[in-house]
Amino acid sequence: MTTATPELLTVPEVMERLNVGRTKVYDLIRTHRLVSIKVDGCRRIPTGAVRDFITGQIGEAA
């Protein structure tokens, strides 16, 4: 059985990947630094959005 990376992540999954708290994830979403969508009222973050955020942070730090 293969374990593919899901296309859409939950807030707790993003918290774990970025090693930040729930409030910080929602702050990133609110300030449009992290793209998200709502699926039946549940907030979901595309894996590409997390990757783009990390790449952007690395670029700013350089």
Side-chain angles (χ1 to χ4, degrees), residues 5-60:
T5 303
E7 284 289 319
L8 297 174
L9 302 170
T10 63
V11 169
E13 290 170 330
V14 174
M15 290 167 49
E16 185 175 320
R17 289 181 184 217
L18 297 180
N19 199 27
V20 298
R22 180 178 182 271
T23 302
K24 184 62 178 178
V25 173
Y26 280 107
D27 182 55
L28 292 171
I29 292 168
R30 183 181 54 77
T31 58
H32 305 287
R33 294 175 63 203
L34 187 62
V35 175
S36 70
I37 62 171
K38 275 196 166 183
V39 178
D40 290 332
C42 299
R43 186 66 61 184
R44 296 292 181 256
I45 300 93
T47 55
V50 176
R51 193 172 33 254
D52 292 346
F53 173 76
I54 293 169
T55 301
Q57 291 300 110
I58 292 169
E60 287 178 19

